[in-house]
Amino acid sequence: MFIPPGRGYFYLLVASLLVARARSNWFDVWLCGYLLALAAVSISVGHVTAHKLVKLKNAFASEAAVKQHYANTPSEVAEELDPEEFDRFCQGVGLRLGVGLDGAVGLIDADQNGSVSMTEFTDWWLMDL
């Protein structure tokens, strides 16, 4: 499965550039270590979230099942799930996204309005990973 490069890879790039120019002062060493740790955490969260999204996609056998589950998830705005509601949607199939929730919503939310519509989720579900 392809995982698009995210901020973790950017932190890794910056840390490697810092190592290349690092002098022997403590601030550069500390900053490099901090960025490497941040990169490791960010990359790990990205990979875990990507695998959870694959599980979410595999939780539905058909487009009708997706629409049925979506319709059964309560939401304040018709046809839109905010991140908290989307988390409940995922929990309905036994999946907790945790810290990857915002990234998952950002990936699926095609119009970037901060919520996931049935059309956006269905389009994402139909797309090959």
Side-chain angles (χ1 to χ4, degrees), residues 1 7 30 49 90 94 105 108 115 120 122 124:
M1 180 181 84
R7 78 182 103 205
W30 178 86
T49 301
C90 294
V105 169
I108 298 169
S115 62
E120 289 170 332
T122 305
W124 172 81

Side-chain angles (χ1 to χ4, degrees), residues 1-24:
M1 180 181 84
F2 173 73
I3 300 171
R7 78 182 103 205
Y9 293 101
F10 173 72
Y11 296 146
L12 189 61
L13 172 69
V14 172
S16 66
L17 292 174
L18 187 59
V19 166
R21 81 160 228 19
R23 297 183 183 96
S24 60

Side-chain angles (χ1 to χ4, degrees), residues 49-70:
T49 301
H51 291 290
K52 286 182 178 182
L53 287 174
V54 169
K55 288 181 181 179
L56 178 62
K57 188 174 271 223
N58 293 335
F60 300 103
S62 67
E63 188 174 346
V66 170
K67 291 181 178 183
Q68 177 67 33
H69 185 68
Y70 193 98

Side-chain angles (χ1 to χ4, degrees), residues 53 56-57 59-60 65-75 81-97 101 108 116-118 121-122 124-125:
L53 287 174
L56 178 62
K57 188 174 271 223
F60 300 103
V66 170
K67 291 181 178 183
Q68 177 67 33
H69 185 68
Y70 193 98
N72 291 337
T73 304
S75 65
L81 298 176
D82 65 24
E84 189 175 295
E85 294 164 343
F86 185 70
D87 192 33
R88 284 195 301 271
F89 173 84
C90 294
Q91 289 175 24
V93 294
L95 190 64
R96 288 196 51 85
L97 291 174
L101 177 63
I108 298 169
V116 177
S117 69
M118 184 185 301
F121 186 79
T122 305
W124 172 81
W125 184 80

